[in-house]
Amino acid sequence: MFSPLRPIYPVAGIRAIENKLIPSARPPLMERAGRAAAEDAVRLIMDRPGPILIACGPGNNGGDGFVMARQLAQAGREIIVAFAGPADKLPAEAAKAHADYLAAGGTVVSDLPAAPANGWALVVDALFGIGLGRPIEGRYSSWINTLNAQPGPRMALDVPSGLDADTGQPMGTTFCATHTTTFIALKPGLLTLDGPDYCGEISVQRIDIDAPAWLQPHGHAIAPSLFRHMLRPRPRNSHKGLYGDAAIVGGNTGMVGAALLAGRAALWLGTGRVYVGLADPDGPAVNLVHPELMLRQATEVPERLSAMAVGPGLGTDTTSTALLAAALRRDIPLVLDADALNLVGADPALAKALGTRAAPTVLTPHPAEAARMLGCDTASVQANRLSAAIELARRHQAMVVLKGCGSIIATADGRWFINGSGHSGMASAGMGDVLTGLTVGLLAQGWPTEAGLMAAVHLHGAAADRLAREGIGPVGLTASETIDAARGVFNGWLIEAQRDPRQAAVRPLR
């Protein structure tokens, strides 16, 4: 559970590491990559008889494929390699891999053959690697369409051909893998936007390279290891005052439920007291289903708080603007979501107040809200989610989570994290409100901002994953259900953190 940290590098970072290692690497990196891919393939199709089709391209990704083909043939598998050539145009390392494959008795066909009667045991995309910068056209586009139509396992080497390894954006025709073997380290595009849909199950083959020893990563995959130092048992001699006072401000007319969802999420995660300040002048005075929540008018939440969240169901009228302005003046950790973000995007005075806060601030935009704050359109945000999150964090001197497939957390000093928990069933009303509640609940309990946001984001997805395993979702999953599941997952983390013998070896990043 508390696995080692997994670094993430953009293409430029991977290239920098390769350039340092290639001249002296023994065995060569291509040999290592092809061998590792072959090992993954053997594990994947151990019980699947039949031939393996490897489609090799004109660059070093094709070279990886030739090495893989040679290794698998030597292991006794029937291999068909499709390569359109010409061989004399291959880069030096790939040309050697091609020659070694032929010298070992391998053969090459110049076009994709028809599938055998019982289908391919495996088809492998070794066409284009991480450096592809334009849409795939012509012969290779046709090849990818044919490969995608195969019913068995489909494996990509390093990154599915056609997928931008930095952004996760498909560039025209794109290979759709069931499994991806990536080399050295993770890349952002495998984990965010459309990347997970095209990559399938990801195997990271480090090929005997300790990447952080060669280049310090700015990005990591989010896992409990990053915040396990905060997963400490509570003393038996406890009282609610030890666990913070959180307030949720929002819930304007017709949107009271959003604030109540956030409040319940904070309470279910162990916050000592939770106040829900409602902007609806006719809002309820008590929640009869969950009377533990202390309901107030939005202007009447206590002055003494441990942390505050503003935005769920807030609205954008003048009263909402005044509530947000007052919250920005508080010297406590602050979480801004939903309409609070829209107000900041529309009002330079609020944006200035946000950027000059001394206390920690967390922003939780979805892509449309991020676009309003950046003054661009949603498509521009999605075209480079990592860049958008980093810019938001820098501009507003805040911690940011850009929600969506592969939610990205960015810090004001340029570091970033990508979350892999969760599933498509979370695309439903109220999920963002729950995340806000989980986040403010941890901050109210004294968690550092970075650890608290990472834990809340990962926990939110992990709760949804647990429910899906139990048959609740993904389709039809509700935000309310994730609150109960989050409580269970979080308590499981606490138990496991005390049981894990590697506790002393794990250290926070900061």
Side-chain angles (χ1 to χ4, degrees):
M1 175 181 175
F2 298 107
S3 56
L5 303 184
R6 295 197 299 163
I8 310 172
Y9 292 88
V11 171
I14 295 293
R15 292 296 191 221
I17 294 170
E18 289 177 335
N19 290 338
K20 293 177 181 178
L21 288 169
I22 284 174
S24 60
R26 298 292 181 272
L29 300 190
M30 187 173 290
E31 186 70 22
R32 300 183 199 181
R35 183 185 304 162
E39 290 170 355
D40 272 356
V42 168
R43 286 189 288 268
L44 179 61
I45 59 168
M46 190 172 295
D47 298 324
R48 288 181 62 87
I52 298 169
L53 173 63
I54 303 177
C56 292
N60 286 331
N61 198 240
D64 296 337
F66 290 127
V67 175
M68 179 186 187
R70 189 184 84 241
Q71 294 282 340
L72 288 171
Q74 291 173 343
R77 295 299 301 234
E78 180 184 355
I79 304 296
I80 307 295
V81 173
F83 173 59
D88 60 359
K89 299 295 185 182
L90 285 166
E93 280 194 272
K96 183 180 185 305
H98 174 261
D100 288 347
Y101 168 66
L102 296 179
T107 59
V108 168
V109 297
S110 59
D111 207 348
L112 292 185
N118 294 323
W120 302 104
L122 175 70
V123 297
V124 179
D125 161 30
L127 292 172
F128 300 96
I130 61 176
L132 185 69
R134 57 182 174 78
I136 298 171
E137 300 174 342
R139 178 199 294 263
Y140 291 119
S141 175
S142 175
W143 279 22
I144 289 174
N145 285 328
T146 299
L147 295 173
N148 284 343
Q150 303 310 305
R154 299 181 302 276
M155 181 178 179
L157 301 191
D158 216 8
V159 61
S161 292
L163 186 74
D164 189 307
D166 280 343
T167 68
Q169 191 165 44
M171 298 179 288
T173 306
T174 302
F175 183 70
C176 189
T178 60
H179 298 76
T180 295
T181 293
T182 199
F183 306 120
I184 300 178
L186 290 165
K187 292 85 183 175
L190 306 182
L191 306 175
T192 195
L193 195 63
D194 293 310
D197 286 321
Y198 283 95
C199 291
E201 183 179 318
I202 298 172
S203 167
V204 179
Q205 289 287 352
R206 295 172 54 189
I207 57 174
D208 297 323
I209 295 172
D210 180 11
W214 294 92
L215 182 67
Q216 186 67 29
H218 283 161
H220 285 85
I222 297 178
S225 301
L226 285 166
F227 48 82
R228 71 130 355 265
H229 59 289
M230 293 301 300
L231 295 170
R232 298 188 290 259
R234 291 183 171 186
R236 295 180 67 179
N237 184 20
S238 289
H239 57 84
K240 63 179 179 289
L242 294 175
Y243 306 114
D245 294 345
I248 316 292
V249 173
N252 216 322
T253 304
M255 298 179 288
V256 169
L260 293 177
L261 278 171
R264 184 179 161 214
L267 189 65
W268 258 236
L269 207 55
T271 308
R273 287 176 286 248
V274 178
Y275 300 89
V276 180
L278 299 175
D280 183 353
D282 298 317
V286 64
N287 183 335
L288 295 176
V289 178
H290 302 292
E292 303 91 344
L293 295 173
M294 293 178 281
L295 276 51
R296 303 282 192 278
Q297 283 295 296
T299 54
E300 297 175 359
V301 295
E303 284 297 319
R304 296 187 64 180
L305 293 169
S306 307
M308 185 182 219
V310 182
L314 179 66
T316 56
D317 56 22
T318 55
T319 299
S320 302
T321 301
L323 290 169
L324 176 56
L328 290 169
R329 291 192 291 269
R330 288 186 178 237
D331 189 26
I332 55 173
L334 184 63
V335 181
L336 301 186
D337 182 31
D339 283 330
L341 302 173
N342 293 328
L343 287 169
V344 168
D347 189 331
L350 290 174
K352 181 178 180 180
L354 169 60
T356 56
R357 291 189 83 241
T361 309
V362 173
L363 312 179
T364 65
H366 57 54
E369 291 160 349
R372 295 182 193 112
M373 297 184 78
L374 291 170
C376 62
D377 57 24
T378 304
S380 297
V381 170
Q382 293 291 73
N384 196 329
R385 287 170 50 79
L386 179 56
S387 177
I390 291 171
E391 174 58 19
L392 272 175
R394 183 202 64 80
R395 184 178 299 186
H396 297 290
Q397 291 299 294
M399 290 284 301
V400 171
V401 53
L402 178 58
K403 296 181 288 194
C405 181
S407 292
I408 295 171
I409 291 177
T411 69
D413 61 2
R415 293 172 299 110
W416 45 272
F417 309 84
I418 301 180
N419 183 58
S421 65
H423 54 70
S424 60
M426 299 178 74
S428 63
M431 286 291 180
D433 305 315
V434 171
L435 176 59
T436 294
L438 296 175
T439 305
V440 76
L442 291 177
L443 298 185
Q445 293 175 63
W447 280 54
T449 313
E450 186 173 304
L453 181 56
M454 283 193 293
V457 169
H458 195 67
L459 175 62
H460 193 209
D465 289 337
R466 170 182 281 192
L467 289 168
R469 291 193 297 270
E470 295 171 354
I472 304 172
V475 176
L477 179 67
T478 67
S480 294
E481 289 168 315
T482 63
I483 297 173
D484 294 343
R487 177 173 59 184
V489 172
F490 188 74
N491 278 290
W493 287 352
L494 290 170
I495 294 169
E496 190 65 26
Q498 306 315 308
R499 180 184 300 145
D500 194 306
R502 293 168 293 177
Q503 174 180 349
V506 179
R507 294 289 184 269
L509 287 178
R510 290 176 70 82

